[in-house]
């Protein structure tokens, strides 16, 4: 069956690429009477009639295809939002926008297929951008945009500000990182408030993993039917918040250690004593029955169980100022320890990144549109929240309350200046918007910045090793990370298999590139 | 002479027309993708469409052989298939003969239908049935069987050593109805007179089976086996991906070539590397098929494929 599916896929690729080439060649001549720049990213050639930063309104409006991520399929009102955006876009930059929703979970495949068939894409979001930046640059998927930003993106540069460097690779700007009001999130645990109240547990008093363990014991003794602890999502690991945050430098297996003299050293995470200790702790929880015996095979996310009241706590990797991502109707509170305090790493700022693909014939239009989104709070809010009165209302505290079953749902603030977006009720909770902003500012102050912030790993020469090590990680990661196997037996096997898969080359390469990067910074 | 040939050729035209849809299907599905094989030898470069990338030789195959994955998935695919062929045939024939001995026609029909039902079940459903038995928390085996025997519960989905048996069991359970059906059809063609004659000569039941039933089954047996050997390098994706619930700790014994290609494409999103897997599968499959055919030809020339 699978074989057949793969062959079909290949046929599809082939046919599309043949068809795509022809139609593109002919439509180019038709729709763009004044060719402005090539896909290489230079926008001012001799024939260009427009001067720096001046938009040409005499030409036929260009249609900008924007690919943005969704969970599943596009919202039913996508076309309506698109029309509203177009009303503004045609006036401001003489262009139409064509929105195209991409399922987050098949994003890499979708872009790969679209690009290989030369399908029209003008502005694409990479999410999480850190996974794609180097690969897409190395495979000529996206173009450098330094010159375009200088010419067409003054507001983009202002908004992105000090985020901009994380969108660079090998000294060139390839992507525009999308800013957000919370710099990055921390690791921690979500605990159920009703259950804590029932057993008189003061959440504020949980200050260490040992405290938390004591609470687990109480819950497990009194509520034997309740799963005490679960990972936030399926396929996730509980070990994350136990380990806390550290810089992995763009790989799954490395850990950056700051040595006493301040120099940075890359080591194999799974070999570190911290990893063994954390794995043993999780194993202990598993054996005591706090963690479900089905944890690695279950298809139900911890967040769902917490919502259903069949779980006491979840291990989360997204603790923000407003308390992590807790579903509607759940009374949960987050518990964060010192090790889980937010740590700003390159990949954290690379979560949402906009890029211009090679298939785009008018890259300057894409940048103009991005610039427009960043300068217009109206547009940014329209794209994030939808239309007021139709998709949401604003409550007396100034927060956005989305309607139930609204026809436009956007999970993340994807575009525009995040500080100009209306705050959501889910974040603001009971206070006012100002109070929330205050809280957020305080939270951002807690954020530590990794010494390697801004460093992006070039994976070109270690592609093979990374793929092989990821496969090993799939085999061991979840089982060890959720305590399903004995770490004293399995971690040495894991480490051995990683070395067999060439992890030493990854570490050496990271060390070399990191040192070169540090030297460049000084 | 010439005229005769043309007449024969003309006679076959309707047959060719009948075969046309299937031929078109085979060309589109099996021959056109051959063109895409070159992807496995190219560098991934999207700027001018994927087929414009530089030729890099066997670069893309490196990741397969960087670990022992290539060996592991080849070993799994081939050994599981061998096991399935042998066990499936033995069980299929045995059960078919047993069914044949049931004299009450209604009972035979009921049994036959019952044994066929799993064949029509989706692997996803089977995977949850299996989970109901082997689940760690509420699974039947851990909570009832092992408790009765006073044994420690086993976390089935993280212990690789049980899985060859589990997969063999599930495959046989699911497929047996179909093979029994194939053999039963053959058994029905045996004239009762043979058995009556044998009875008159004082043959025992065992002798009747050995000297009458099995020889009649031989052509069907060889056909079924060749068909299976021809598909030696394909595996039932559902069986190896859904039943173990994609549990990482079982990869060593559950990763077959199809599962690996799927995972490689999903995780890496790298078309050229995924193609490399596909090419590897085709190449080794081709060699294996030739080998199997050679063997068959040596033992029974009429039954070989070519």
């Amino acid at each position: 069956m699978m074989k057949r599916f793969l062959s079909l896929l290949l046929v599809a690729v082939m046919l599309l690429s043949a068809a795509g080439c022809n139609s593109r060649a002919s439509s180019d001549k038709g729709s763009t009477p004044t060719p402005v720049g090539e896909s290489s990213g230079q926008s001012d050639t001799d024939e260009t009639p427009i001067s720096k930063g001046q938009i040409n309104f005499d030409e036929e409006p260009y249609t900008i295809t924007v690919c943005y991520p969704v969970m599943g399929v596009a919202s039913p009102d996508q076309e309506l939002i698109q029309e509203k955006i177009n009303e503004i876009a045609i006036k401001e930059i003489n262009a139409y926008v064509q929105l195209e929703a991409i399922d987050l979970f098949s994003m890499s495949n979708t872009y790969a297929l679209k690009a290989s068939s030369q399908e029209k894409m003008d502005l694409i979001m990479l999410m999480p951008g850190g996974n794609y930046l180097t690969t897409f640059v190395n495979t000529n998927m996206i173009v450098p945009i330094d010159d375009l930003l200088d010419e067409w993106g003054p507001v983009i540069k202002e908004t992105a500000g000090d985020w901009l460097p994380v969108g660079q690779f090998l000294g060139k700007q390839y992507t525009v990182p999308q800013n957000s009001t919370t710099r990055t999130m921390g690791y921690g645990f979500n605990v159920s408030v009703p259950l804590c109240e029932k057993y008189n547990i003061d959440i504020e008093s949980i200050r260490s993993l040992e405290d938390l363990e004591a609470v687990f014991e109480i819950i497990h003794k009194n509520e034997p039917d309740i799963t005490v602890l679960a990972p936030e999502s399926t396929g996730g690991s509980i070990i994350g918040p136990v380990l806390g945050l550290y810089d992995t430098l763009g790989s799954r297996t490395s850990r950056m250690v700051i040595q006493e003299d301040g120099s940075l050293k890359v080591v194999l995470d799974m070999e570190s004593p911290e990893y063994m200790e954390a794995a043993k702790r999780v194993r202990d929880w598993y054996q005591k029955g706090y963690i479900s015996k089905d944890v690695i095979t279950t298809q139900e996310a911890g967040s769902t169980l917490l919502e259903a009241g069949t779980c006491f706590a979840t291990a989360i990797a997204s603790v923000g100022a407003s308390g992590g991502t807790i579903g509607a109707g759940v009374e949960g509170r987050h518990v964060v320890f010192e090790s889980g305090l937010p740590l700003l790493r390159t990949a954290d700022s690379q979560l949402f990144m906009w890029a211009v693909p090679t298939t785009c014939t008018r890259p300057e239009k894409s940048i103009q549109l991005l610039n427009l989104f960043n300068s217009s709070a109206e547009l940014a809010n329209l794209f994030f929240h939808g239309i007021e009165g139709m998709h949401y209302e604003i409550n007396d505290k100034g927060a956005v309350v989305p309607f139930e079953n609204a026809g436009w749902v956007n999970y993340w603030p994807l575009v525009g200046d995040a500080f100009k977006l209306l705050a959501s009720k889910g974040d603001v909770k009971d206070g006012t918007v100002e109070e929330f902003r205050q809280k957020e500012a305080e939270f951002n102050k807690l954020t530590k910045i990794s010494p390697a912030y801004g460093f992006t790993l070039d994976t070109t020469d270690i592609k093979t090793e990374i793929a092989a090590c990821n496969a090993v990680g799939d085999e061991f990661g979840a089982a060890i990370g959720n305590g399903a196997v004995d770490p004293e037996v399995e971690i040495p096997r894991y480490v051995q298999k990683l070395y067999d898969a060439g992890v030493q080359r990854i570490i050496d390469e990271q060390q070399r590139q990191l040192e070169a990067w540090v030297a460049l910074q000084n | 002479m010439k005229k005769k040939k043309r007449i024969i050729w003309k006679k076959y035209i309707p047959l060719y027309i009948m075969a046309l849809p299937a031929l078109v299907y085979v060309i589109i599905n099996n021959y056109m993708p051959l063109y895409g094989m070159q992807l496995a030898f190219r560098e991934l470069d999207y700027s001018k469409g994927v087929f414009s990338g530089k030729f890099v030789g066997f670069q893309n195959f490196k990741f397969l052989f960087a670990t022992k994955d290539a060996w592991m998935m080849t070993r799994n695919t081939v050994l599981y298939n061998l096991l399935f062929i042998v066990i499936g045939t033995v069980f299929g024939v045995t059960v078919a003969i047993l069914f044949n001995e049931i004299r009450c026609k209604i009972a035979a029909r009921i049994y036959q239908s019952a044994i066929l039902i799993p064949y029509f079940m989706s692997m996803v459903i089977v995977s949850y049935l299996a989970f109901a038995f082997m689940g760690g928390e509420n699974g039947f085996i851990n909570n009832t069987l092992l408790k009765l025997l006073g044994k420690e519960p086993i976390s089935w989905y993280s212990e690789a050593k049980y899985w060859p048996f589990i997969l063999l069991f599930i495959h046989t359970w699911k497929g047996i109805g179909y093979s029994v059906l194939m053999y039963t059809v053959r058994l029905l063609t045996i004239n009762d007179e043979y058995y009556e004659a044998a009875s008159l000569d004082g043959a025992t039941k065992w002798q009747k089976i050995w000297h009458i039933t099995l020889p009649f089954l031989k052509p069907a047996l060889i056909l079924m086996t060749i068909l299976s050997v021809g598909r030696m390098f394909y595996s039932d994706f559902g069986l190896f991906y859904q039943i173990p619930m994609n549990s990482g700790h079982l990869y060593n014994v559950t990763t077959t070539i199809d599962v690996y290609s799927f995972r490689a494409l999903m995780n890496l999103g790298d078309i050229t590397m995924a193609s490399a897997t596909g090419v590897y599968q085709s190449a080794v499959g081709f060699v294996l098929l030739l080998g199997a055919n050679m063997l068959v030809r040596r033992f029974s020339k009429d039954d070989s494929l070519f």
Side-chain angles (χ1 to χ4, degrees):
Chain A
M1 259 331 275
M2 211 43 229
K3 167 83 180 170
R4 197 160 295 163
F5 168 72
L6 284 177
S7 353
L8 267 177
L9 207 68
L10 275 174
V11 174
V13 171
M14 271 168 40
L15 292 179
L16 284 172
S17 67
C21 290
N22 297 339
S23 66
R24 208 166 80 91
S26 54
S27 71
D28 264 4
K29 283 172 205 138
S31 64
T32 50
T34 47
V36 188
E38 280 307 310
S39 43
S40 60
Q42 313 141 339
S43 58
D44 38 357
T45 49
D46 294 339
E47 308 116 66
T48 318
I50 41 175
S51 58
K52 186 168 168 147
Q54 206 72 59
I55 287 158
N56 179 8
F57 281 96
D58 300 330
E59 64 174 352
E60 194 80 6
Y62 182 74
T63 304
I64 305 167
T65 307
V66 179
C67 298
Y68 70 100
V70 292
M71 305 264 253
V73 292
S75 296
D77 284 354
Q78 175 178 293
E79 219 151 291
L80 196 71
I81 300 289
Q82 184 179 308
E83 266 169 42
K84 287 269 176 194
I85 295 174
N86 280 340
E87 280 171 21
I88 302 174
I90 190 70
K91 270 190 295 190
E92 300 283 340
I93 57 168
N94 191 29
Y96 291 117
V97 172
Q98 167 85 41
L99 292 177
E100 208 161 308
I102 309 286
D103 183 11
L104 180 63
F105 298 109
S106 57
M107 180 179 261
S108 61
N109 295 327
T110 313
Y111 286 155
L113 282 179
K114 275 177 178 285
S116 49
S117 59
Q118 302 276 293
E119 208 175 300
K120 187 173 149 64
M121 293 188 285
D122 296 301
L123 188 61
I124 59 175
M125 162 142 285
L126 313 181
M127 178 182 172
N131 291 4
Y132 298 108
L133 178 60
T134 56
T135 342
F136 277 10
V137 171
N138 287 326
T139 54
N140 283 333
M141 174 76 125
I142 53 178
V143 297
I145 48 174
D146 302 82
D147 301 343
L148 291 168
L149 278 182
D150 283 340
E151 194 174 355
W152 300 105
V155 192
I156 298 175
K157 285 180 136 182
E158 204 176 293
T159 310
D162 58 342
W163 293 63
L164 222 43
V166 301
Q168 291 168 356
F169 182 57
L170 301 177
K172 275 190 192 157
Q173 192 79 40
Y174 278 94
T175 59
V176 176
Q178 171 61 31
N179 73 352
S180 76
T181 49
T182 300
R183 224 27 224 262
T184 182
M185 296 196 172
Y187 277 10
F189 298 88
N190 248 339
V191 295
S192 152
V193 172
L195 276 170
C196 281
E197 278 166 1
K198 193 168 164 193
Y199 296 104
N200 282 324
I201 296 160
D202 178 15
I203 297 178
E204 292 295 322
S205 71
I206 307 175
R207 297 211 173 273
S208 66
L209 284 168
E210 286 73 28
D211 293 347
L212 191 66
E213 249 168 31
V215 174
F216 286 169
E217 207 183 323
I218 297 172
I219 301 292
H220 186 60
K221 213 167 68 197
N222 294 302
E223 304 270 351
D225 289 340
I226 277 183
T227 305
V228 178
L229 181 61
E232 169 85 350
S233 52
T234 49
S237 275
I238 284 169
I239 203 169
V242 182
L243 270 171
L245 278 151
Y246 46 89
D247 204 327
T248 57
L249 298 173
S251 77
R252 267 167 65 172
T253 47
S254 297
R255 171 194 281 263
M256 190 186 71
V257 182
I258 305 161
Q259 287 180 307
E260 277 166 26
D261 61 348
S263 64
L264 304 173
K265 189 172 176 346
V266 187
V267 297
L268 180 61
D269 188 21
M270 288 73 208
E271 243 179 350
S272 65
E274 291 92 340
Y275 188 80
M276 178 59 100
E277 196 196 327
K280 277 187 188 163
R281 192 185 285 273
V282 176
R283 175 68 176 168
D284 182 45
W285 291 349
Y286 180 86
Q287 284 181 322
K288 281 183 178 155
Y290 302 162
I291 300 167
S292 160
K293 295 279 178 283
D294 296 324
V295 63
I296 40 177
T297 41
T298 184
Q299 301 297 316
E300 257 172 320
S303 52
T304 320
L305 298 176
L306 195 67
E307 234 168 290
T310 56
C311 164
F312 170 69
T314 57
I316 53 171
S318 52
V319 181
S322 53
T325 46
I326 309 172
V330 191
E331 265 196 274
R333 278 279 304 279
H334 65 271
V335 175
V336 181
F337 309 119
E338 179 68 27
S339 64
L341 284 181
L343 173 72
L344 187 64
R345 300 160 298 182
T346 311
D348 299 318
S349 300
Q350 287 178 331
L351 192 52
F352 306 102
M353 296 204 291
W354 288 104
V356 180
T358 329
T359 46
C360 171
T361 47
R362 300 279 308 271
E364 85 283 4
K365 277 288 170 204
S366 309
I367 299 298
Q368 286 168 10
L369 177 70
L370 205 54
N371 197 55
L372 177 66
F373 264 111
N374 278 284
S375 51
S376 159
E378 185 193 350
L379 264 185
N381 274 311
L382 175 69
F383 191 78
F384 185 34
H385 295 297
I387 301 162
E388 192 179 350
M390 190 171 186
H391 301 125
Y392 68 91
E393 59 182 7
I394 293 180
N395 68 3
D396 50 352
K397 305 230 171 70
V400 169
V401 186
F403 291 142
E404 245 172 74
N405 304 322
W408 179 251
V409 179
N410 221 334
Y411 298 90
W412 315 278
L414 294 175
V415 71
D417 187 353
F419 288 94
K420 288 182 189 157
L421 289 175
L422 298 165
S424 300
K425 174 81 169 65
D427 290 332
V428 177
K429 302 251 161 82
D430 297 326
T432 63
V433 174
E434 284 73 39
E435 278 166 10
F436 167 64
R437 294 280 181 227
Q438 194 84 38
K439 236 166 56 180
E440 209 167 38
E442 274 164 33
F443 184 81
N444 282 340
K445 267 186 224 149
L446 286 176
T447 304
K448 292 173 286 187
I449 296 180
S450 164
Y453 180 71
F455 166 75
T456 301
L457 181 70
D458 179 3
T459 55
T460 322
D461 294 334
I462 43 174
K463 201 164 88 165
T464 309
E465 285 78 11
I466 289 184
C469 287
N470 283 351
V472 180
D474 286 340
E475 189 179 336
F476 288 92
I480 294 175
N482 286 310
V485 291
D486 183 4
E488 302 216 40
V489 179
E490 296 295 326
I491 290 183
R493 279 188 59 209
Y494 188 7
V495 169
Q496 186 52 47
K497 265 198 131 169
L498 282 173
Y499 277 118
D500 289 347
V503 79
Q504 190 62 48
R505 272 206 67 198
I506 302 179
I507 294 171
D508 292 345
E509 189 66 21
Q510 280 174 321
Q511 186 75 45
R512 190 186 65 74
Q513 289 186 26
L514 185 66
E515 276 164 19
W517 178 83
V518 170
L520 203 73
Q521 302 297 305
N522 297 330
Chain B
M1 194 64 198
K2 234 180 186 177
K3 204 179 166 193
K4 204 177 172 190
K5 241 184 187 168
R6 197 183 299 148
I7 289 170
I8 288 174
W9 189 81
K10 268 191 182 159
K11 230 168 61 185
Y12 287 134
I13 287 181
L15 292 180
Y16 278 115
I17 292 175
M18 275 167 72
L20 195 66
L23 279 176
V24 170
Y25 172 80
V26 167
I27 287 170
I28 293 178
N29 196 46
N30 295 11
Y31 282 86
M32 280 170 66
L34 285 177
Y35 176 71
M37 260 168 68
Q38 54 167 307
L39 268 183
F41 304 96
R42 283 184 188 276
E43 192 182 63
L44 190 58
D45 183 344
Y46 289 115
S47 57
K48 293 179 213 79
V50 274
F51 289 108
S52 64
K54 235 183 21 231
F55 271 107
V56 289
F58 285 90
Q59 188 76 28
N60 292 320
F61 290 82
K62 255 174 63 189
F63 93 110
L64 276 178
F65 299 97
T67 55
K68 297 182 186 100
D69 288 357
W71 159 241
M72 178 189 74
M73 67 193 193
T74 314
R75 176 200 67 192
N76 284 348
T77 315
V78 172
L79 286 188
Y80 274 121
N81 270 325
L82 276 178
L83 204 62
F84 291 167
I85 291 171
V86 174
I87 302 283
T89 312
V90 171
F91 272 83
V93 171
T94 315
V95 175
I97 291 172
L98 288 178
F99 274 8
N100 201 42
E101 298 299 324
I102 300 172
R103 288 296 132 202
C104 170
K105 286 290 166 214
I106 296 171
R109 292 259 164 78
I110 291 174
Y111 296 149
Q112 235 159 48
S113 310
I115 204 173
L116 198 57
I117 285 176
Y119 182 75
F120 296 106
M121 259 185 224
S122 146
M123 267 301 176
V124 179
I125 293 171
V126 177
S127 81
Y128 279 93
L129 278 178
F131 186 70
F133 277 93
M134 297 186 291
E137 206 91 310
N138 306 311
F140 175 75
I141 299 182
N142 276 354
N143 281 301
T144 314
L145 282 185
L146 291 179
K147 224 177 230 172
L148 270 177
L149 297 170
K151 291 215 166 112
E152 281 293 299
I154 297 165
S155 51
W156 297 98
Y157 288 91
S158 47
E159 297 260 8
K161 60 181 178 214
Y162 302 112
W163 279 85
F165 303 101
I166 295 171
L167 291 173
L168 177 65
F169 176 81
I170 291 177
H171 181 268
T172 313
W173 169 80
K174 197 171 184 303
I176 196 166
Y178 186 70
S179 59
V180 165
L181 192 73
M182 296 300 259
Y183 296 125
T184 307
V185 170
R186 187 75 201 169
L187 286 175
L188 289 177
T189 62
I190 305 176
N191 203 320
D192 271 348
E193 282 170 15
Y194 292 106
Y195 292 110
E196 281 160 21
S199 299
L200 284 179
D201 288 341
T204 58
K205 195 121 236 169
W206 180 245
Q207 280 171 325
K208 276 191 269 180
I209 290 173
W210 193 252
H211 294 290
I212 302 171
T213 318
L214 279 181
F216 265 103
L217 275 182
K218 196 185 142 208
L221 260 169
I222 291 179
L223 181 78
M224 293 281 275
T225 311
I226 288 189
L227 282 180
S228 314
V229 171
R231 297 192 57 80
M232 187 80 128
F233 236 64
Y234 298 83
S235 62
D236 184 344
F237 179 75
L239 180 70
F240 292 97
Y241 187 80
Q242 304 286 3
I243 305 290
M245 301 224 161
N246 197 21
S247 167
H249 230 65
L250 306 176
Y251 281 1
N252 212 4
V253 291
T254 58
T255 303
T256 58
I257 299 174
D258 297 84
V259 175
Y260 194 87
S261 323
F262 177 77
R263 247 187 245 131
L265 185 71
M266 290 310 279
N267 291 352
L268 299 172
D270 189 323
I271 300 180
T272 57
M273 280 171 149
S275 310
T277 322
V279 168
Y280 171 70
Q281 177 182 23
S282 317
V284 186
F286 184 64
V287 170
L288 221 79
L289 188 70
L290 284 185
N293 192 60
M294 242 168 64
L295 269 180
V296 172
R297 203 161 50 184
R298 173 164 293 176
F299 291 114
S300 157
K301 210 167 177 192
D302 296 336
D303 294 313
S304 68
L305 289 168
F306 44 82

